């Protein structure tokens, strides 16, 4: 199976082999890959919607892996029993949906060894939620597919010491690892913030959000010179 760079990176951030659930699996490509290439003994592909579950079942059947990957329909972590798996993947959803899933079954999430999360947007707010809710970020990665940059966050239950909210928003492990796409990531952030400034300025030049975003752009420039990127 030819996985996308994004899904390959999600798999790289897992601890393998381990009992693993892919929440919001859709096509079930990740559990199929894990069943074909690793010794994970329990693999669960789950999705809230019927159609993705049907697609998952079809792909699992085509791969002849019905005895290795179980499909469950339901919302978030509610499809799992406590301690049934040690890690979960929640990829390809907005950060608010990911946070809702973790809030809805918080005790189960706290019993996991690792969570690999790939928000489509709002990675900064997901990091803040993790830090404020007793999860620590243990690794992070950036992946570029065409012009789109994806952020992947690996977390474990535990405390994270936060000295700098701006670094938390950007991704402490992305900075620590000096990820090769850091320069591209910073350019994208600056572009996005500047576009918002320009848009707000058209109608409301006194809006305090303008100064807030200008400060963020300045902080980013300082960080760039500190990191020499
Ligand atoms: C864009 S797909 C991502 C598929 C795959 N995880 C990936 O990253 O390529 C998002 C999937 O999440 C599912 N989903 C959305 N909210 C969910 C929830 N609360 N619990 C389980 N699945 C959910 C959707 O039905 C959809 O199939």
């Amino acid at each position: 199976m030819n996985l996308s760079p994004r899904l390959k990176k999600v798999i790289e951030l897992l601890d393998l082999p381990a009992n693993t659930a892919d929440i919001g699996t859709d096509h079930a490509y990740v559990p199929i890959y894990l069943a074909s290439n690793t010794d994970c003994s329990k693999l669960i592909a789950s999705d809230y919607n019927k159609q993705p579950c049907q697609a998952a079942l079809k792909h699992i059947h085509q791969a002849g892996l019905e005895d290795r990957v179980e499909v469950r329909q339901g919302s978030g972590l509610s499809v799992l029993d406590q301690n049934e798996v040690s890690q979960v993947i929640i990829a390809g959803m907005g950060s608010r949906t990911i946070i809702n899933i973790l809030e809805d079954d918080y005790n189960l999430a706290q019993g996991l060894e690792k969570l690999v999360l790939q928000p489509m947007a709002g990675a900064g707010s997901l990091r803040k939620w993790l830090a404020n809710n007793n999860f620590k970020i243990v690794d992070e990665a950036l992946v570029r597919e065409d012009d789109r940059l994806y952020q992947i966050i690996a977390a474990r239950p535990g405390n994270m010491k936060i000295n700098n909210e701006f670094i938390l928003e950007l991704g402490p492990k992305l900075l620590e690892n000096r990820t090769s796409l850091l320069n591209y990531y910073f350019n994208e952030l600056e572009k996005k913030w500047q576009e918002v400034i320009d848009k707000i300025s058209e109608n409301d030049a006194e809006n305090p959000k303008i100064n807030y975003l200008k400060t963020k752009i300045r902080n980013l420039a300082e960080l760039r010179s500190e990191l020499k990127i």
Side-chain angles (χ1 to χ4, degrees):
M1 175 185 296
N2 222 349
L3 284 179
S4 67
R6 174 180 65 88
L7 292 179
K8 273 188 193 150
K9 194 54 96 177
V10 162
I11 289 169
E12 273 177 37
L13 263 58
L14 294 168
D15 293 334
L16 294 170
N19 293 348
T20 302
D22 184 25
I23 305 297
T25 192
D26 196 355
H27 33 65
Y29 291 157
V30 170
I32 290 172
Y33 179 92
L34 294 176
S36 309
N37 296 283
T38 73
D39 292 329
C40 297
S41 52
K42 187 168 200 107
L43 289 165
I44 296 166
S46 107
D47 205 286
Y48 181 60
N49 291 304
K50 191 173 173 192
Q51 224 179 327
C53 285
Q54 285 170 339
L57 282 168
K58 184 175 132 201
H59 292 141
I60 292 163
H61 174 71
Q62 282 168 348
L65 291 167
E66 294 95 329
D67 58 335
R68 297 282 317 281
V69 185
E70 190 186 332
V71 176
R72 295 184 189 172
Q73 189 180 349
S75 182
L77 306 177
S78 71
V79 297
L80 303 173
D81 291 329
Q82 190 87 26
N83 301 325
E84 191 177 18
V85 296
S86 59
Q87 52 189 354
V88 299
I89 301 156
I90 312 178
M93 297 177 211
S95 60
R96 191 60 246 177
T97 308
I98 296 177
I99 291 169
N100 287 344
I101 287 174
L102 299 176
E103 280 177 341
D104 286 350
D105 289 282
Y106 182 74
N107 288 342
L108 196 142
Q110 277 289 312
L112 295 165
E113 278 170 29
K114 199 176 205 185
L115 303 93
V116 176
L117 311 170
Q118 184 265 302
M120 297 302 280
S125 60
L126 176 57
R127 288 188 187 95
K128 278 187 198 158
W129 185 89
L130 290 168
N132 290 331
N133 287 277
N134 215 31
F135 289 96
K136 64 173 179 227
I137 295 170
V138 292
D139 204 357
E140 291 179 296
L142 291 172
V143 186
R144 189 175 165 186
E145 277 182 24
D146 302 321
D147 276 342
R148 179 132 202 194
L149 197 63
Y150 297 100
Q151 300 188 45
I152 308 173
I153 302 166
R156 296 185 196 279
N159 286 319
M160 188 162 55
K161 215 168 150 214
I162 308 301
N163 299 321
N164 184 325
E165 290 283 331
F166 188 58
I167 302 270
L168 176 66
E169 181 187 340
L170 259 47
K173 293 290 169 186
L174 292 178
L175 303 180
E176 197 180 305
N177 296 344
R178 301 282 178 115
T179 312
S180 60
L181 285 164
L182 219 43
N183 193 31
Y184 184 83
Y185 175 45
F186 282 10
N187 287 343
E188 291 293 293
L189 282 175
E190 195 176 334
K191 201 165 80 188
K192 189 174 82 184
W193 294 336
Q194 189 57 53
E195 276 169 9
V196 179
I197 292 174
D198 294 344
K199 195 144 195 193
I200 300 174
S201 305
E202 278 171 23
N203 302 312
D204 185 6
E206 301 303 314
N207 191 316
K209 190 149 189 215
I210 295 173
N211 269 338
Y212 168 72
L213 289 170
K214 281 184 177 169
T215 307
K216 281 171 74 144
I217 292 177
R218 270 198 307 277
N219 289 345
L220 195 64
E222 275 170 27
L223 196 58
R224 271 192 134 128
S225 74
E226 246 173 64
L227 296 172
K228 298 189 177 56
I229 55 165

